[in-house]
Amino acid sequence: MYEKSLQIQDDEMEQLLADVLDRYGYDFTDYSRASLKRRINRLLSIDRFPSYAEFRYKLQNDSHYLHRFVEEVTVNVTEMFRDPSFYKALRTDVLPMLATYPFIRIWHAGCSTGEEVYSMAILLHEANLLHKSLIYATDVNPGVLEKLRKGIFPLANMKQYAENYIKSGGTRDFSQYYMAKYNLAKFDQSLATKMIISTHNLTSDSSFNEFQLICCRNVLIYFEKNLQDRVLTLFTDSLEKRGFLALGSKESLKFSAVSALYKPVNNEKIWQKTN
């Protein structure tokens, strides 16, 4: 009989993470243990596993179940123009600098379902920069990238997104960027033509281009310190000289391994590479 109180133990979790790394190459070993434990226990409860052994067996032998595991343990909370003051700072302090480049490459790392990627495309469009830009949108979770590819989001969210947009300095009718059908909003395909969408594992994959702007917001908070430093070094190696790095509201370069290589642009968690 299913035991509702089944909880994964610390040694079991370490064993599980080693399995996933050895068998599939997904490295969660430096993720925050508290966050991982909470999410794995939630998965155990939802999928009603009677024992840890059966859960481990399923994960080891069913590659389809691995996708579900990845979706559950990675954090996919996002919204369009999240933290409007951040997007206002992009408009005023970063885009005018990017406009001086003949071609603009932007990386949204850990982009989740892509609301912030579409936010960036709208900013670039309004600054008349989208035509000479490419936005690389990556995430470890292939399931969320499918949602990004479709460009379809719940219509119920549009009121909040429109408010965020206005607070970010937007002056147009936000509804011009999507078509409403039933309870869904389909965003203009012209915004997606400048997006390159692919899986990328920040914990194990290498740099793949040279960017003028990298956005990785509210991802590092789920990593342990050594993994944070590894990812920040990856970003530094991926940025052009004088390129910009944008992090989430609770994240910082302070005390990181690369802090000396950047200067703050403003108080909105944007830094510019100086070395």
Side-chain angles (χ1 to χ4, degrees), residues 161-181:
Y161 294 174
E163 290 176 5
N164 289 353
Y165 165 76
I166 295 298
K167 290 177 182 176
S168 78
T171 58
R172 306 187 187 185
D173 180 359
F174 184 68
S175 65
Q176 76 179 62
Y177 292 113
Y178 64 86
M179 289 188 63
K181 188 171 183 180

Side-chain angles (χ1 to χ4, degrees), residues 29-44:
T29 53
D30 284 322
Y31 276 53
S32 163
R33 288 301 187 270
S35 176
L36 277 176
K37 194 170 190 178
R38 187 167 58 250
R39 290 175 174 275
I40 291 173
N41 281 331
R42 180 175 179 273
L43 188 57
L44 285 168

Side-chain angles (χ1 to χ4, degrees), residues 209-234:
N209 213 321
E210 195 171 40
F211 300 94
Q212 285 86 38
L213 170 62
I214 297 176
C215 294
C216 183
R217 306 185 66 235
N218 306 299
V219 175
L220 297 182
I221 53 174
Y222 299 103
F223 296 168
E224 300 289 359
K225 175 69 165 60
N226 60 334
L227 180 54
Q228 289 180 7
D229 281 340
R230 200 157 81 225
V231 173
L232 289 171
T233 299
L234 168 67

Side-chain angles (χ1 to χ4, degrees), residues 73-93:
V73 301
T74 53
V75 180
N76 300 302
V77 178
T78 186
E79 63 183 45
M80 295 193 76
F81 295 94
R82 183 181 190 182
D83 303 323
S85 58
F86 165 77
Y87 285 93
K88 199 163 194 173
L90 284 180
R91 289 184 192 270
T92 59
D93 299 335

Side-chain angles (χ1 to χ4, degrees), residues 3-257:
E3 176 54 62
K4 287 186 178 181
S5 62
L6 179 64
Q7 300 278 298
I8 194 165
Q9 302 302 307
D10 290 345
D11 59 334
E12 294 171 340
M13 186 166 69
E14 299 305 319
Q15 186 180 54
L16 202 69
L17 298 181
D19 288 346
V20 171
L21 177 59
D22 292 343
R23 188 162 181 80
Y24 302 107
Y26 282 95
D27 189 354
F28 294 107
T29 53
D30 284 322
Y31 276 53
S32 163
R33 288 301 187 270
S35 176
L36 277 176
K37 194 170 190 178
R38 187 167 58 250
R39 290 175 174 275
I40 291 173
N41 281 331
R42 180 175 179 273
L43 188 57
L44 285 168
S45 174
I46 292 172
D47 291 351
R48 304 180 69 84
F49 281 96
S51 68
Y52 163 73
E54 293 191 40
F55 178 57
R56 185 187 181 200
Y57 181 84
K58 179 79 169 176
L59 197 54
Q60 284 180 320
N61 295 282
D62 186 344
S63 60
H64 293 293
Y65 192 74
L66 169 75
H67 295 152
R68 173 156 175 74
F69 177 83
V70 171
E71 286 183 4
E72 286 298 322
V73 301
T74 53
V75 180
N76 300 302
V77 178
T78 186
E79 63 183 45
M80 295 193 76
F81 295 94
R82 183 181 190 182
D83 303 323
S85 58
F86 165 77
Y87 285 93
K88 199 163 194 173
L90 284 180
R91 289 184 192 270
T92 59
D93 299 335
V94 176
L95 292 193
M97 299 279 287
L98 297 188
T100 64
Y101 289 90
F103 193 75
I104 303 166
R105 292 179 301 277
I106 297 171
W107 181 14
H108 268 275
C111 67
S112 187
T113 46
E115 283 87 336
E116 293 195 55
V117 182
Y118 273 92
S119 303
M120 180 65 72
I122 290 170
L123 285 190
L124 292 167
H125 169 72
E126 294 185 356
N128 196 30
L129 297 176
L130 187 59
H131 69 282
K132 66 170 186 175
S133 302
L134 271 182
I135 307 173
Y136 293 77
T138 67
D139 200 278
V140 70
N141 182 344
V144 296
L145 294 178
E146 280 307 307
K147 296 179 181 178
L148 168 54
R149 285 189 180 95
K150 293 175 181 176
I152 298 174
F153 304 105
L155 186 61
N157 294 347
M158 293 305 117
K159 183 177 183 294
Q160 179 63 57
Y161 294 174
E163 290 176 5
N164 289 353
Y165 165 76
I166 295 298
K167 290 177 182 176
S168 78
T171 58
R172 306 187 187 185
D173 180 359
F174 184 68
S175 65
Q176 76 179 62
Y177 292 113
Y178 64 86
M179 289 188 63
K181 188 171 183 180
Y182 303 114
N183 60 343
L184 299 173
K186 166 71 173 167
F187 274 76
D188 194 319
Q189 185 60 31
S190 66
L191 297 172
T193 57
K194 295 298 184 176
M195 299 176 190
I196 296 176
I197 303 167
S198 67
T199 55
H200 182 274
N201 190 337
L202 287 173
T203 68
S204 59
D205 293 343
S206 61
S207 175
F208 59 90
N209 213 321
E210 195 171 40
F211 300 94
Q212 285 86 38
L213 170 62
I214 297 176
C215 294
C216 183
R217 306 185 66 235
N218 306 299
V219 175
L220 297 182
I221 53 174
Y222 299 103
F223 296 168
E224 300 289 359
K225 175 69 165 60
N226 60 334
L227 180 54
Q228 289 180 7
D229 281 340
R230 200 157 81 225
V231 173
L232 289 171
T233 299
L234 168 67
F235 291 157
T236 302
D237 293 343
S238 304
L239 271 180
E240 277 193 5
K241 185 179 179 181
R242 300 192 63 75
F244 296 91
L245 175 61
L247 302 179
S249 60
K250 295 182 177 64
E251 298 164 334
S252 177
L253 291 184
K254 196 174 183 181
F255 306 121
S256 74

